[in-house]
Amino acid sequence: MTVWSAAGQRAIQRCDTLGAAPYSEAEGQLFRRFLTPAHAHAIEAVGGWMREAGLTTHIDPIGNLVGRSKAARDAPALLIGSHIDSVHNAGRYDGPLGVMIGIECAAALARRASPLPFAIEVIAFGDEEGSRFPLSMMGSRALTVPLGEEALEQTDGDGVSVAEALRAFGLDPAEVPAAVRPPGQIIAYVEPHIEQGPVLEAAGLPVGVVTGIAGQVRLIVRFTGEAGHAGTTPMRLRRDPIAAAAECVLAIEQICAAGPADLVGTVGRILPSSAAFNVIAGRVEMGVDVRAANDPTRDTAVEAISREIAAIAARRGVAVGLERAQTLPASPCDPHLVALMEDAVGAVGVSPLRLVSGAGHDAMIMAALAPTAMLFIRCAGGVSHNPAESATPEDADIACRALLAFIERLAADFKGFAP
Ligand SMILES: [Zn+2]
């Protein structure tokens, strides 16, 4: 039988507690949006757990909950965190598990014989998912740049602005720029998070070391052919944009499969101008998502995809227009912290597997402020953003111990803050 300490079990149980009313806005499922009563209840509960772990808590001007260890007021801090908001009909561990693991580490460190050379701050970001307002990751963004009028004037589905929601939450929108952390305060940001993918489970490993968050390009491809009658237009006279799109889907799959393992390309949508059985569509719009651990790999693939799309369209006599709708740069984790995390994972008896995060996280925003590291925790079937999301107390416990080993290594390494 596997033996584990109470830490992992407590972390999982606390996530489970947060999975229902009053910590959820929706009956019978988990939905916790930024600056709602459910968010306020979650802050109350998580704040209580932070204080039990010996942390002093406060709510920052954007509604993030912060717990700080006993240390000199001006001592630089290691920030451990994740988010406590959720998507609609969410799982219980995406976000909260990282916060709970941070609290367990803080509790263990409070019992340490000699004080750490830096403070520990555990942060529970109020918004990462963007499930209430259009802009996502407002919690971490507010720490890195002063959020201006544009951000505060955004409205939710009921027409309530961020500024109004902050006021209803007991916060002052005019104070939001004060949430920015000055340089020299934070030595590093580390985020434990469920993997939200199947790689660790397939490798039989409880945790994995994240090397970075993939950069993403979104392409909108518009094919224009010639609409026609499905019965009367001979095959050789057709200029069918759906057939051109279909050939492109397979080409994109081939190009990405032939690249490095972290390169992924997806055609997530194909919208023909006609959806009738008996019509050759005149136009098709296709949405392409390409991601890789580094921007050159991704951009090389995007160039190859663009050339191939142009060639296929030309061969088929179909006009094509290509638009880059979104470019998000890759966010590599700090190489030195990645090496420390690998060593820490090895020290708790787990073979340290390196992996890339295909999904976005607060760490990619925090990278503007401090070196970042992430530790992934196995989740059953790679299922996430779904009530079936599942992680085990054993794995959570290994994550707690690996993170503690990481912090000990960081402390041994720490020679004062060099911005
Ligand atoms: Zn998340």
Side-chain angles (χ1 to χ4, degrees), residues 336-355:
H336 178 62
L337 296 184
V338 169
L340 288 188
M341 190 67 89
E342 260 184 338
D343 195 43
V345 166
V348 297
V350 177
S351 155
L353 178 78
R354 288 175 166 234
L355 69 174

Side-chain angles (χ1 to χ4, degrees), residues 215-219 252 256 264-268 287-291 305:
Q216 180 189 348
V217 163
R218 283 186 179 178
L219 299 174
I252 291 164
C256 295
V264 288
T266 308
V267 176
V288 189
D289 179 309
V290 185
R291 304 184 195 207
I305 287 168

Side-chain angles (χ1 to χ4, degrees), residues 79 125 137 140-141 143-144 186-191 212-213 329-334 337 361-374:
L79 214 55
F125 291 116
M137 304 196 189
S140 47
R141 279 181 211 278
L143 266 58
T144 61
I186 297 174
I187 55 167
Y189 172 74
V190 54
E191 181 166 359
I213 298 172
S331 176
C333 291
D334 181 76
L337 296 184
H361 294 288
D362 287 307
M364 68 197 235
I365 303 293
M366 294 299 288
L369 197 63
T372 60
M374 285 192 79

Side-chain angles (χ1 to χ4, degrees), residues 11 67 105 142 242 312 323 376 395:
C105 288
I242 289 189
I312 290 167
E323 182 195 328
F376 268 172
D395 288 359

Side-chain angles (χ1 to χ4, degrees), residues 82-83 94-95 128-129 191 193 196 361:
S82 195
H83 59 98
D94 171 3
E128 190 268 351
E129 303 284 7
E191 181 166 359
H193 200 286
Q196 301 179 281
H361 294 288

Side-chain angles (χ1 to χ4, degrees), residues 231-319:
T232 60
T233 318
M235 296 308 287
R236 63 186 175 82
L237 295 181
R238 292 184 183 202
R239 297 195 291 122
D240 182 347
I242 289 189
E247 200 177 333
C248 291
V249 171
L250 297 179
I252 291 164
E253 184 186 48
Q254 251 166 32
I255 288 166
C256 295
D262 60 275
L263 174 65
V264 288
T266 308
V267 176
R269 70 176 194 189
I270 298 179
L271 303 171
S273 57
S274 155
F277 269 70
N278 57 351
V279 177
I280 301 163
R283 295 181 313 279
V284 172
E285 188 182 298
M286 184 168 93
V288 189
D289 179 309
V290 185
R291 304 184 195 207
N294 63 72
D295 296 340
T297 301
R298 182 203 61 199
D299 289 337
T300 306
V302 168
E303 279 164 33
I305 287 168
S306 306
R307 277 197 304 273
E308 199 52 33
I309 289 173
I312 290 167
R315 204 160 57 233
R316 290 175 165 274
V318 169

